[in-house]
Amino acid sequence: NAGVTQTPKFRVLKTGQSMTLLCAQDMNHEYMYWYRQDPGMGLRLIHYSVGEGTTAKGEVPDGYNVSRLKKQNFLLGLESAAPSQTSVYFCASSYSIATPVQNEQFFGPGTRLTVL
Amino acid sequence: DAKTTQPTSMDCAEGRAANLPCNHSTISGNEYVYWYRQIHSQGPQYIIHGLKNNETNEMASLIITEDRKSSTLILPHATLRDTAVYYCIVRSTVKAAGNKLTFGGGTRVLVKP
């Protein structure tokens, strides 16, 4: 199993450009998440999804949109990139089971995004 | 979810035990304590979790005080590869919460030879 994969690994954008980050998981997880991590900070939740076709806002959703058309994929879009969105973006997935034994989150390797 | 307080950083000697404290004085009855770690430039990795009993797995041990207001993660024999940021997270088990994690600043652990 590949686990959680993210595409691309690195990207440089100019202010105002748009792009989509792709997250894919092969563990049949129901839940998926997008986080951002700024230098020296902990991760902050942008959006998450509890199932195919559903999405919800996290702590810092402004400036981002997401879609979950397939269970295994979770897309993060930036419609008009701003320098404040320069960050490392992590995707994660987990089972929906409430008991903590089986609902740990598995994280991808991250996408390093720079907006000039 | 309850907030947690951790020291910003700590050093540990290779081969010795590393004891990482975490305060979560506002924890409620349906909240578990989770520990994740993040090795430089990688995604966070789950370590261990607990409710009120002490827990041990192949990576670490978790000691939770009787009043559940604090806990300690123990890495029994720290190696250089344990150098990472360690996050203590308290999370509800209610399914409607979406299993979300709230990361604080964590403790930056440096294992020295």
Side-chain angles (χ1 to χ4, degrees):
Chain A
N1 288 348
V4 179
T5 59
Q6 294 183 229
T7 308
K9 290 185 170 54
F10 302 92
R11 185 71 186 268
V12 178
L13 290 179
K14 294 181 179 179
T15 298
Q17 287 185 318
S18 63
M19 77 163 295
T20 300
L21 281 67
L22 170 64
C23 175
Q25 53 94 4
D26 61 1
M27 296 173 282
N28 202 33
H29 285 165
E30 293 86 3
Y31 290 178
M32 296 187 73
Y33 313 82
W34 274 108
Y35 296 87
R36 62 175 287 175
Q37 184 174 35
D38 299 327
M41 307 270 294
L43 282 72
R44 291 183 293 170
L45 184 65
I46 304 172
H47 286 281
Y48 66 101
S49 168
V50 299
E52 183 178 322
T54 70
T55 63
K57 295 180 179 179
E59 181 186 355
V60 288
D62 294 342
Y64 305 95
N65 57 75
V66 288
S67 64
R68 182 99 180 268
L69 299 179
K70 293 183 179 180
K71 185 177 183 179
Q72 64 268 33
N73 295 336
F74 195 27
L75 304 178
L76 177 71
L78 286 74
E79 290 186 349
S80 179
S84 60
Q85 295 178 303
T86 293
S87 189
V88 180
Y89 292 84
F90 289 100
C91 176
S93 68
S94 75
Y95 287 115
S96 64
I97 301 169
T99 54
V101 174
Q102 293 174 294
N103 67 5
E104 64 176 279
Q105 290 189 17
F106 292 83
F107 285 81
T111 294
R112 190 171 300 273
L113 175 66
T114 301
V115 183
L116 302 176
Chain B
D1 291 337
K3 291 185 177 179
T4 62
T5 303
Q6 299 177 250
T8 303
S9 64
M10 62 183 296
D11 294 344
C12 175
E14 187 180 18
R16 304 294 291 270
N19 297 295
L20 283 63
C22 179
N23 287 320
H24 32 79
S25 59
T26 60
I27 193 170
S28 61
N30 69 346
E31 291 178 321
Y32 281 71
V33 180
Y34 286 77
W35 284 83
Y36 281 74
R37 75 177 182 183
Q38 185 176 23
I39 297 171
H40 182 62
S41 298
Q42 298 180 19
Q45 174 193 24
Y46 165 84
I47 302 173
I48 198 169
H49 71 272
L51 181 63
K52 50 185 177 182
N53 297 322
N54 298 338
E55 303 287 347
T56 296
N57 63 19
E58 65 278 3
M59 291 183 68
S61 295
L62 175 60
I63 309 297
I64 302 175
T65 58
E66 192 170 343
D67 62 8
R68 303 187 68 234
K69 292 184 177 182
S70 65
S71 60
T72 301
L73 180 74
I74 301 172
L75 307 177
H77 305 285
T79 70
L80 299 180
R81 288 177 293 180
D82 291 323
T83 291
V85 178
Y86 288 77
Y87 295 100
C88 171
I89 300 168
V90 172
R91 189 174 87 185
S92 171
T93 57
V94 175
K95 192 172 183 178
N99 292 349
K100 293 179 288 182
L101 296 174
T102 301
F103 289 83
T107 297
R108 189 172 299 273
V109 174
L110 176 61
V111 180
K112 296 181 175 180

